[in-house]
Amino acid sequence: MDNTKRYQRLLERYRSGDLSRRELMSLIGAAGLAYGLTGGPMGALGKQALAAKPDSVRFDGWGGVVSEAFRKYAFDPYQKATGIEVIDGTFSSGDEYLSRVKAGQPGEFNLFHASGVFDYARYAGLGYDVVLNEANIPNLELAMTALKEPFRKVTNGNLSCAPYDYGTTGLAYNTKYISKEEMEEKGAKILIDAKYKGKIGGWGDWRTRVWYGALATDQNPNDIKDMDAVWDAIRAHRDNALKYWGSGAELMSLLAEEEIYVTEGWSGRIAALQQQGHPIAYHDPKNGFGWQECLMVLKGSPLEACEELLNFMLEPEVAIAVAEGQSYPPSLDPTKVDLGDKIPLLPAYDATGTLSQLTFADPAYWNGNEAEWSKTFGRVQKGY
């Protein structure tokens, strides 16, 4: 029996409940010892990759607990199995990473953790997309259709990425200073409330600022009618804020050290703070910013190696471990895959697999306004 069949049988036993996750990983490890590889999917990967492998692939992500989860649960096992090194870098915003890609050489950057369909559309619009051979990524079948279709619409039915996780940018607040009742009453308006001047934070990202400016002025973020009111709200937030934060690590530090009491924040990072015991609550206001993230492959990359890495990262055992590590729900369809006990407790989790309760950014609307709004925000940020 070859490794692939052995692994598939183990997976079938695991999925039917005959094996626990711990037992599965133990058996995979035992198989790996026999074959001199990590075993199971890793053994199969190793055989395939040895045929024509690059020395490395580069992956760029958001850093902090997210990168730690990727490294521990996906990249290290993948490297051990295939001999292909995953070189991981970080960025603090999609704009910053795009500038690096534009300045780089074709093939210098391979995969990255793209945030939102609008980011995917930006890269595709600039010609950085590829056409993935989905036959090499069979685990794509386990991902939610609701997460795959928006990407397919951008790239003519093809995929240049694997959807990987989703979450929301909601309101995070310290319950020692702000009550649940006050948060629910004020919603996004609390970010411009002079009562908390100097104790308010916010991400220095033009999309997030415009989105929350729309919510603070009771407008639909995907169909803003009064942009002047939005800019006034953004100025009010700027004047009351302690500072704009620039990364997830800084967001967590500002809240944990009580330098700020309230900010919008990424659901997974807030969940991580809660797991660490900090009195930080999370509130998703109406039309809160929902987003989905994907692992996008850039033009010039070693496609087969990237496809293997994507398939490995979508293995339920890997994807679940990463999701629990980074505190964002995986793209796996909960109607097809048992996601365990922890993931259903994460913020933004959708048990239906439809994500119909979340509000996502309209890619055409936001990308169509990017040039004007990002430029204006740059001026507002400087005090104009």
Side-chain angles (χ1 to χ4, degrees):
M1 184 187 302
D2 61 25
N3 278 352
T4 300
K5 290 180 180 176
R6 180 178 292 103
Y7 168 64
Q8 291 299 336
R9 290 190 179 183
L10 286 174
L11 266 186
E12 288 169 7
R13 291 179 61 194
Y14 170 73
R15 288 165 181 160
S16 66
D18 290 343
L19 290 175
S20 67
R21 199 166 100 193
R22 180 185 296 274
E23 291 170 327
L24 173 68
M25 299 310 287
S26 175
L27 288 170
I28 285 175
L33 289 175
Y35 286 85
L37 294 166
T38 306
M42 304 153 197
L45 280 170
K47 279 189 173 182
Q48 294 164 13
L50 284 171
K53 67 175 185 179
D55 292 331
S56 65
V57 294
R58 180 185 172 99
F59 181 92
D60 288 272
W62 294 91
V65 294
V66 175
S67 286
E68 289 170 9
F70 276 34
R71 170 51 63 188
K72 180 177 180 180
Y73 298 111
F75 297 159
D76 283 345
Y78 176 81
Q79 286 181 192
K80 186 179 290 186
T82 66
I84 299 174
E85 182 183 8
V86 180
I87 300 171
D88 49 335
T90 62
F91 53 80
S92 61
S93 74
D95 294 341
E96 175 200 326
Y97 183 67
L98 181 56
S99 297
R100 287 193 218 166
V101 172
K102 285 180 176 178
Q105 297 296 316
E108 181 177 349
F109 296 93
N110 303 140
L111 299 100
F112 76 108
H113 200 179
S115 181
V117 179
F118 49 83
D119 251 355
Y120 178 84
R122 281 202 301 170
Y123 283 81
L126 291 169
Y128 290 121
D129 59 310
V130 300
V131 177
L132 293 174
N133 181 354
E134 296 183 35
N136 289 337
I137 317 171
N139 286 328
L140 270 174
E141 287 296 321
L142 301 176
M144 283 183 267
T145 300
L147 291 179
K148 290 183 286 190
E149 289 308 304
F151 294 117
R152 291 192 190 281
K153 288 180 181 177
V154 173
T155 41
N156 301 316
N158 299 310
L159 286 176
S160 186
C161 75
Y164 204 64
D165 54 55
Y166 63 96
T168 56
T169 301
L171 293 164
Y173 61 101
N174 190 316
T175 56
K176 290 165 62 177
Y177 306 101
I178 299 173
S179 69
K180 179 181 178 182
E181 291 73 21
E182 182 180 6
M183 176 54 69
E184 290 179 346
E185 176 191 347
K186 294 179 178 176
K189 290 182 172 61
I190 202 167
L191 296 178
I192 56 176
D193 191 334
K195 175 181 176 182
Y196 295 108
K197 184 178 177 64
K199 289 296 182 182
I200 296 171
W203 189 17
D205 165 69
W206 69 267
R207 296 177 200 79
T208 304
R209 296 272 55 84
V210 171
W211 190 284
Y212 267 87
L215 295 186
T217 54
D218 300 317
Q219 299 189 69
N220 179 348
N222 281 322
D223 186 23
I224 298 171
K225 302 298 186 185
D226 187 347
M227 203 58 211
D228 288 339
V230 170
W231 291 122
D232 286 344
I234 293 173
R235 290 188 182 93
H237 171 264
R238 176 201 63 198
D239 293 343
N240 284 301
L242 174 68
K243 64 180 297 188
Y244 291 136
W245 44 267
S247 68
E250 188 179 16
L251 158 68
M252 294 175 69
S253 174
L254 287 168
L255 284 169
E257 299 298 326
E258 300 190 5
E259 290 187 71
I260 59 174
Y261 299 159
V262 62
T263 178
E264 82 278 343
W266 305 326
S267 55
R269 298 302 179 110
I270 306 310
L273 282 171
Q274 293 169 343
Q275 291 161 12
Q276 293 169 11
H278 297 285
I280 307 299
Y282 187 72
H283 173 67
D284 258 330
K286 181 182 178 183
N287 284 330
F289 199 160
W291 39 261
Q292 55 170 300
E293 295 184 316
C294 69
L295 308 179
M296 185 173 186
V297 181
L298 298 176
K299 189 174 183 179
S301 299
L303 276 186
E304 289 189 10
C306 292
E307 288 161 352
E308 277 188 320
L309 178 56
L310 293 180
N311 196 58
F312 179 75
M313 294 188 71
L314 284 171
E315 282 288 345
E317 293 70 33
V318 176
I320 289 171
V322 170
E324 291 179 352
Q326 68 168 344
S327 298
Y328 291 113
S331 62
L332 301 177
D333 189 333
T335 66
K336 296 179 179 177
V337 180
D338 179 0
L339 298 180
D341 299 328
K342 295 181 180 178
I343 288 171
L345 302 178
L346 294 175
Y349 173 73
D350 184 322
T352 69
T354 64
L355 302 178
S356 58
Q357 300 302 311
L358 302 185
T359 302
F360 294 94
D362 180 333
Y365 180 74
W366 284 83
N367 285 340
N369 286 295
E370 176 185 0
E372 179 185 346
W373 290 355
S374 62
K375 181 179 178 180
T376 303
F377 176 65
R379 289 174 54 80
V380 171
Q381 190 175 19
K382 292 183 176 79
Y384 292 96

